[in-house]
Amino acid sequence: MEYVIEMLHITKEFPGIIANDDITLQLKKGEIHALLGENGAGKSTLMSVLFGLYQPEKGTIRKDGVEVKIKDPNDANGLGIGMVHQHFKLVHNFTVLQNIILGVETTKNGFLKMDEARKKVMELSNRYGLMVDPDAYISDITVGMQQRVEILKMLYRNNEILIFDEPTAVLTPQEIEELMKIMKELASEGKSILFITHKLNEIKEVADRCTVLRKGKYIDTIDVSETSKEAMSEMMVGRKVDLQIEKAEISVGAPVLEVKDLVVASKQGSKKAVNHVSFKVSKGEIVCVAGIDGNGQSELVYALTGLSSIEGGQILLNGEDITRVSVRHRNKAGMSHIPEDRHKDGLVLDYSLQDNLILKKYFTPGFQKNGFLRFREAEAYADKLIEKFDIRSGKGRETETRSMSGGNQQKAIVAREIDLNPEILIAVQPTRGLDVGAIEYIHKQLVTQRDEGKAVLLISLELDEVMNISDRILVMYEGEIVADLDPKEVSVQELGLYMAGSKRGEAR
Amino acid sequence: MKQLQSILEKDSFSRTISSIFSILIGLLFGFIILLVSNPTQAVDGFLIILKGGFSTHAKGIGQVLYFATPLILTGLSVGFAFKTGLFNIGAPGQFIMGAFTAVYIGVKWTFLPAPWHWIVALLGATIVGGLWALIPGILKAYLNVHEVIATIMMNYIGMYLANFLVKSYIYDSKKALSMNVADTAVLPKAGLDKIFYNTMGTTKDLSTVNCGIFIAIIIAIIIYIILNKTTFGYELKACGFSQDASKYAGINDKRNLVTSMVISGMLAGLGGGLLYLSGGNGRRIKVVDVLAIEGFNGIPVALLALSNPIGTIFSAIFISYITQGGHYLQTLNFVPEVIDIIIACIIYFSAFSLFFKDYIFRFIKNRVQSMEEKKQERLEDGGEE
């Protein structure tokens, strides 16, 4: 069998790290080939090499058996290689059609000729069942639809090799199903697809073969139909992983956090980002707010933690009205917050690990005296947390946090927030971008908090996470809580319907 | 070799080296301009610049320190604001307002006894400088007006207001300068007059330097302590590095922003006071429509010192030294404007140290490493060295 693309013995180094170490990947014509690995395994680097964003130190790339040099994305495009990035590269105030032809406009005497382009786009759209409206503005269409625009962009450029970089991360279960259908359609029409993911279900469903990477090394290329999910997961992580989480049965105590009729204005438009939301979180339960990204979860958390102002409503913490008090007051009253964006909010990246670990304690008597920092205490405290939470870094507490890995940065935040001994822990996507080991660890920490009788409010986009560790699920859609569900009684499919707004339940 | 490597990895060392490197590049650039403008005297001219304050012996060195004093303060002002994430371009305005206040108190409040008079005058300068920065600080914190715009505006308001006030209250119309301050308001010499003078026959030609330089150094140390040892400094730096993370940690970022701006202005204002409370042969306020150069030179001083308060002392002295050297260039055939260009080039090029820091270091480290490797290879190949 001929291979359309062969990447042979690719080695790509970055200062201090070998991102790709002698990796070989061979893509057959018309197949869907999954690239499986944890974060940091080198998947993205490998694809960036193929797409011309990086130059490998060693190794060759062959197209249809002929060696080629790919110096930049234009070269890649010329060879028929297209990529759907994880974060779409679309112009929001352009129409679908304008976005698709951007860069390859058909012109006559310097004037745009849209008619031909429109015809071709519609033809492609119908052929692959993409069903896009060419005149809709990107800002008005759903994320799933935006992704199809990206796919159309590749098709419009006659790309034969399509790279999908974690395409399902932003989609609802229904949209994922649609995407899978489209991918199969594309493959049957002779396109070759490279599909980057760390989700085993999706690989099982759609891929023909799968190449596994671990820590920059090539592990194996397997036939998907002949390999079990467990085996793949073991190849990916390098050890057996327990994906199920043990939770003790405990009874729910008194309410800790009470939110009444909360309204938060939206930054754009007149719609409310959070629209009359009410709920309670009690001692000994993990309440999870599920929903598709951008449905008001971030604004809800910003309002709860005091980082943004609210329009109306009331927030009670252990009966105390904290609606209008400062962030510091909330922290002292027992609110901990693992923020969504660890780089923007969670850490002062230019500070050392030690300075970040005392970020919420430096003003307490243990760490300062008459306004002067007590460095010895801070050092001891930092060392204690580093050991207890197994935070790994190059130079211990002196390490600049910017240089640490994402997982360890997250561990540092988790350590700091949990060690505050909070009444309520608000964790926003605490496992985003982390590898399986770190995810396991952070889930255990959250469950430990709950088992100790603390209240946990978890905001998550990962359905597995939602189903696995929560005691109660609140579904948020367009700023409203549209359902209050029990994870034991609801299926993933049903949850997806709530998240997409096509079903509404009664909030308890 | 190992030792060399460990020294190279030290941050303070790398900072110092990068500053020195950029000074050298600045000097090289200055030399090129000398060559272009006057090839025959370029080498002589360059030597004069290098000799700097030494050209006129002990007095010259005194003058270097005298003119370095306000630069230390304005450098601290810019550097402090920068450490807390703000660009204070308003040092000229804060400086001149502080200067006016000091001279006004020095001339008018003669009821104050000796040490108190100059102390009060300096305090006045500090407070007014701080007030001048308070306005942009508040605008930034509560109305989101960018501090660069606001401070530049305040520079012009400050300059014209100071001109107006000097003319109205403390103007010596014969010299077209501000009046002499009372003797009680002149900063004491603190023994410096016994070191920095030239003998002219039987008389001593004294330098203007006074205890202001000590005050400046003490302030630099205090600022260093505030930034590095206190919770206040910890908060300010956190705000500077990341306003979002500071807010998240419960730090009152708006209040810190205003405080930081005010402290920055106080430093610049104090610099104005220190320069102008210097007695008979010292500086007087000129009523001209030019922004105070001491204020603007605070920017290269801070950049060259990479905003480190202690480093600011040295970079201010360096820039004062070079500027003095420039003055002596007039003994050769150089047009005064060209001299200004040369000096400005040296100063501003030197201030590029920030850009050089990483680049130079990677280069040196790579060299050291490759030398190590070669040595290793030689050892492996030959088995002996």
Side-chain angles (χ1 to χ4, degrees):
Chain A
M1 177 102 193
E2 268 303 290
Y3 294 112
V4 263
I5 283 285
E6 288 175 278
M7 301 182 78
L8 303 172
H9 308 291
I10 299 289
T11 297
K12 173 71 199 162
E13 286 179 46
F14 292 111
I17 187 163
I18 302 174
N20 287 164
D21 188 359
D22 191 19
I23 290 178
T24 294
L25 178 92
Q26 291 165 313
L27 180 66
K28 290 178 192 164
K29 187 166 173 56
E31 77 164 342
I32 300 179
H33 192 117
L35 189 54
L36 176 68
E38 292 189 285
N39 286 286
K43 296 171 299 193
S44 295
T45 310
L46 189 66
M47 287 304 104
S48 299
V49 166
L50 181 58
F51 199 56
L53 296 167
Y54 294 136
Q55 301 305 313
E57 268 83 40
K58 282 178 209 147
T60 50
I61 301 175
R62 284 193 201 160
K63 167 102 197 287
D64 299 323
V66 184
E67 188 173 334
V68 289
K69 278 259 177 288
I70 304 176
K71 285 194 233 46
D72 54 46
N74 285 335
D75 288 356
N77 215 348
L79 293 169
I81 302 171
M83 185 160 175
V84 177
H85 295 268
Q86 202 172 354
H87 300 282
F88 306 145
K89 311 215 176 288
L90 297 169
V91 183
H92 274 241
N93 50 0
F94 270 19
T95 64
V96 168
L97 184 62
Q98 285 169 332
N99 266 289
I100 291 172
I101 63 162
L102 192 63
V104 288
E105 302 89 349
T106 41
T107 56
K108 193 179 179 188
N109 304 329
F111 288 95
L112 280 176
K113 289 270 288 175
M114 296 294 253
D115 295 343
E116 282 168 44
R118 177 187 298 271
K119 223 175 95 194
K120 189 173 169 193
V121 167
M122 289 316 292
E123 212 177 272
L124 288 169
S125 170
N126 292 334
R127 184 159 144 214
Y128 295 101
L130 297 174
M131 295 184 296
V132 295
D133 169 10
D135 297 314
Y137 284 93
I138 296 296
S139 49
D140 295 338
I141 61 178
T142 62
V143 178
M145 200 58 98
Q146 290 178 12
Q147 191 169 52
R148 292 184 196 174
V149 176
E150 285 281 6
I151 296 173
L152 262 177
K153 260 167 80 178
M154 297 194 296
L155 297 175
Y156 186 77
R157 286 159 177 72
N158 299 322
N159 289 333
E160 291 296 320
I161 296 117
L162 313 179
I163 307 171
F164 286 83
D165 188 1
E166 306 221 3
T168 57
V170 287
L171 303 180
T172 64
Q174 282 76 16
E175 284 175 320
I176 292 174
E177 237 168 66
E178 284 288 312
L179 176 69
M180 299 283 153
K181 233 194 268 169
I182 293 169
M183 285 169 73
K184 283 180 191 160
E185 187 73 22
L186 289 167
S188 69
E189 291 275 335
K191 308 273 182 194
S192 315
I193 295 179
L194 269 169
F195 175 38
I196 307 180
T197 188
H198 57 250
K199 291 181 185 158
L200 302 166
N201 295 336
E202 294 166 5
I203 295 180
K204 263 291 185 205
E205 190 178 331
V206 72
D208 302 312
R209 295 193 305 150
C210 172
T211 294
V212 187
L213 305 184
R214 191 200 314 147
K215 291 182 181 151
K217 291 209 166 54
Y218 172 82
I219 302 299
D220 202 359
T221 299
I222 49 160
D223 210 318
V224 171
S225 54
E226 289 167 10
T227 317
S228 72
K229 272 196 268 180
E230 285 69 26
M232 282 196 271
S233 126
E234 209 179 317
M235 285 168 83
M236 168 167 81
V237 185
R239 64 181 164 87
K240 280 205 193 306
V241 215
D242 188 10
L243 295 169
Q244 280 299 319
I245 287 158
E246 300 276 319
K247 283 202 299 187
E249 280 295 325
I250 61 166
S251 56
V252 172
V256 178
L257 181 76
E258 286 177 80
V259 178
K260 293 177 184 166
D261 214 20
L262 186 71
V263 181
V264 180
S266 170
K267 286 207 177 72
Q268 310 100 357
S270 55
K271 265 190 181 172
K272 306 281 179 236
V274 177
N275 202 355
H276 298 283
V277 162
S278 304
F279 63 90
K280 283 179 190 171
V281 187
S282 305
K283 282 186 190 316
E285 69 170 347
I286 297 178
V287 174
C288 181
V289 177
I292 301 161
D293 199 8
N295 273 290
Q297 302 97 316
S298 309
E299 288 85 353
L300 172 68
V301 171
Y302 273 134
L304 293 179
T305 51
L307 289 171
S308 71
S309 56
I310 65 169
E311 234 178 53
Q314 204 183 18
I315 305 163
L316 301 179
L317 181 57
N318 278 335
E320 186 198 348
D321 188 344
I322 57 159
T323 316
R324 313 232 164 259
V325 305
S326 67
V327 179
R328 172 83 30 106
H329 188 119
R330 289 174 213 232
N331 289 342
K332 283 183 180 165
M335 182 184 277
S336 269
H337 174 198
I338 299 170
E340 179 179 356
D341 189 334
R342 55 178 166 263
H343 289 162
K344 177 166 158 275
D345 292 323
L347 296 165
V348 180
L349 289 172
D350 295 295
Y351 265 173
S352 66
L353 178 55
Q354 172 186 328
D355 282 341
N356 271 298
L357 288 172
I358 62 167
L359 196 59
K360 285 190 173 173
K361 283 204 164 169
Y362 68 92
F363 53 88
T364 56
F367 294 94
Q368 61 104 7
K369 202 175 171 188
N370 304 325
F372 283 86
L373 287 169
R374 299 172 68 171
F375 290 102
R376 209 165 295 160
E377 278 75 3
E379 283 162 16
Y381 179 71
D383 285 341
K384 190 188 95 186
L385 287 194
I386 289 169
E387 203 196 312
K388 189 170 155 198
F389 290 86
D390 189 28
I391 308 167
R392 289 178 205 170
S393 59
K395 291 185 257 172
R397 57 169 192 259
E398 305 284 335
T399 320
E400 197 181 63
T401 25
R402 188 184 291 284
S403 67
M404 289 165 55
S405 72
N408 281 299
Q409 288 177 340
Q410 189 71 1
K411 275 186 182 173
I413 296 175
V414 171
R416 180 181 72 209
E417 297 305 314
I418 287 180
D419 206 70
L420 288 172
N421 200 17
E423 297 289 323
I424 175 142
L425 176 63
I426 301 178
V428 191
Q429 300 183 43
T431 57
R432 182 161 77 166
L434 301 186
D435 58 46
V436 176
I439 291 174
E440 202 182 359
Y441 175 85
I442 283 165
H443 283 168
K444 272 189 190 143
Q445 292 294 335
L446 293 180
V447 172
T448 312
Q449 287 294 301
R450 162 199 179 267
D451 291 350
E452 283 172 7
K454 302 283 166 53
V456 177
L457 179 65
L458 172 70
I459 285 82
S460 178
L461 305 175
E462 296 277 341
L463 285 180
D464 291 343
E465 183 168 274
V466 172
M467 297 301 277
N468 266 341
I469 69 169
S470 57
D471 295 305
R472 203 145 63 80
I473 302 172
L474 303 172
V475 182
M476 216 167 162
Y477 175 72
E478 296 207 328
E480 290 176 58
I481 288 184
V482 293
D484 184 339
L485 310 164
D486 186 333
K488 290 191 203 81
E489 292 166 8
V490 69
S491 70
V492 175
Q493 293 308 315
E494 205 179 338
L495 189 59
L497 290 176
Y498 285 111
M499 284 164 63
S502 48
K503 196 171 170 186
R504 262 169 188 272
E506 281 301 305
R508 274 181 290 186
Chain B
M1 240 2 142
K2 277 274 149 58
Q3 265 176 335
L4 184 59
Q5 251 180 339
S6 74
I7 293 175
L8 280 174
E9 268 156 26
K10 269 210 179 112
D11 202 40
S12 54
F13 178 78
S14 78
R15 280 157 185 267
T16 316
I17 286 287
S18 62
S19 291
I20 290 172
F21 226 91
S22 32
I23 285 173
L24 291 178
I25 290 169
L27 288 174
L28 186 72
F29 197 74
F31 183 61
I32 292 168
I33 294 184
L34 278 168
L35 270 176
V36 172
S37 61
N38 188 348
T40 49
Q41 292 184 311
V43 176
D44 292 340
F46 193 60
L47 288 177
I48 289 180
I49 293 178
L50 284 188
K51 267 170 95 180
F54 284 113
S55 290
T56 46
H57 316 290
K59 184 193 170 192
I61 293 303
Q63 291 310 98
V64 166
L65 294 178
Y66 172 63
F67 286 110
T69 307
L71 289 183
I72 294 174
L73 269 305
T74 52
L76 285 174
S77 165
V78 175
F80 184 81
F82 196 66
K83 279 259 177 188
T84 57
L86 294 164
F87 255 123
N88 178 18
I89 311 293
Q94 295 142 15
F95 177 86
I96 200 68
M97 287 309 288
F100 163 75
T101 312
V103 176
Y104 180 85
I105 294 173
V107 172
K108 301 281 177 178
W109 293 12
T110 41
F111 54 87
L112 289 163
W116 294 113
H117 196 176
W118 61 264
I119 290 171
V120 170
L122 285 183
L123 282 178
T126 312
I127 291 165
V128 172
L131 285 177
W132 217 246
L134 174 68
I135 299 165
I138 288 176
L139 286 175
K140 164 93 178 178
Y142 297 99
L143 296 170
N144 210 15
V145 178
H146 201 282
E147 77 274 12
V148 169
I149 309 288
T151 50
I152 288 176
M153 297 301 175
M154 292 301 283
N155 277 344
Y156 286 95
I157 300 173
M159 176 185 79
Y160 288 117
L161 187 63
N163 283 350
F164 167 73
L165 291 172
V166 168
K167 271 199 162 169
S168 314
Y169 298 106
I170 48 170
Y171 198 50
D172 184 341
S173 51
K174 270 180 261 162
K175 292 181 191 153
L177 293 169
S178 63
M179 292 178 198
N180 276 354
V181 296
D183 288 345
T184 44
V186 174
L187 294 175
K189 290 285 187 193
L192 291 169
D193 53 342
K194 302 208 168 54
I195 309 167
F196 298 115
Y197 64 87
N198 291 350
T199 330
M200 294 205 354
T202 51
T203 55
K204 279 182 178 176
D205 183 16
L206 277 183
S207 158
T208 330
V209 69
N210 52 40
C211 72
I213 184 74
F214 296 131
I215 294 177
I217 291 170
I218 290 166
I219 298 282
I221 294 167
I222 291 173
I223 293 293
Y224 176 82
I225 291 170
I226 287 179
L227 277 176
N228 293 303
K229 306 286 175 196
T230 65
T231 52
F232 179 55
Y234 176 90
E235 287 188 359
L236 286 181
K237 279 191 293 179
C239 289
F241 286 135
S242 166
Q243 207 173 340
D244 288 314
S246 313
K247 211 173 146 189
Y248 156 83
I251 295 169
N252 189 336
D253 58 327
K254 288 194 159 65
R255 194 190 62 203
N256 270 336
L257 196 154
V258 177
T259 322
S260 162
M261 206 63 202
V262 167
I263 291 177
S264 171
M266 287 166 81
L267 291 165
L270 176 62
L274 290 175
L275 181 66
Y276 287 100
L277 293 179
S278 49
N281 54 356
R283 284 277 290 269
R284 243 66 60 76
I285 301 175
K286 277 185 206 158
V287 182
V288 285
D289 292 348
V290 176
L291 292 176
I293 188 68
E294 290 84 354
F296 273 131
N297 275 348
I299 298 169
V301 167
L303 285 174
L304 183 54
L306 299 169
S307 299
N308 179 311
I310 305 299
T312 302
I313 302 172
F314 297 103
S315 69
I317 290 175
F318 163 73
I319 283 176
S320 169
Y321 181 87
I322 287 289
T323 315
Q324 288 299 304
H327 290 321
Y328 303 126
L329 260 190
Q330 293 181 36
T331 55
L332 300 176
N333 231 348
F334 283 97
V335 196
E337 284 78 12
V338 172
I339 298 175
D340 285 344
I341 293 174
I342 293 166
I343 297 306
C345 282
I346 296 177
I347 291 175
Y348 285 89
F349 243 83
S350 306
F352 277 130
S353 25
L354 264 179
F355 296 100
F356 292 116
K357 189 176 168 243
D358 294 331
Y359 181 73
I360 294 170
F361 264 79
R362 215 170 302 141
F363 180 74
I364 298 177
K365 254 172 102 171
N366 285 348
R367 285 299 288 272
V368 171
Q369 253 165 18
S370 66
M371 273 161 72
E372 280 275 271
E373 276 164 20
K374 270 189 197 143
K375 212 167 103 184
Q376 207 68 33
E377 273 167 27
R378 262 211 312 273
L379 279 174
E380 279 163 12
D381 291 347
E384 58 182 320
E385 194 176 10

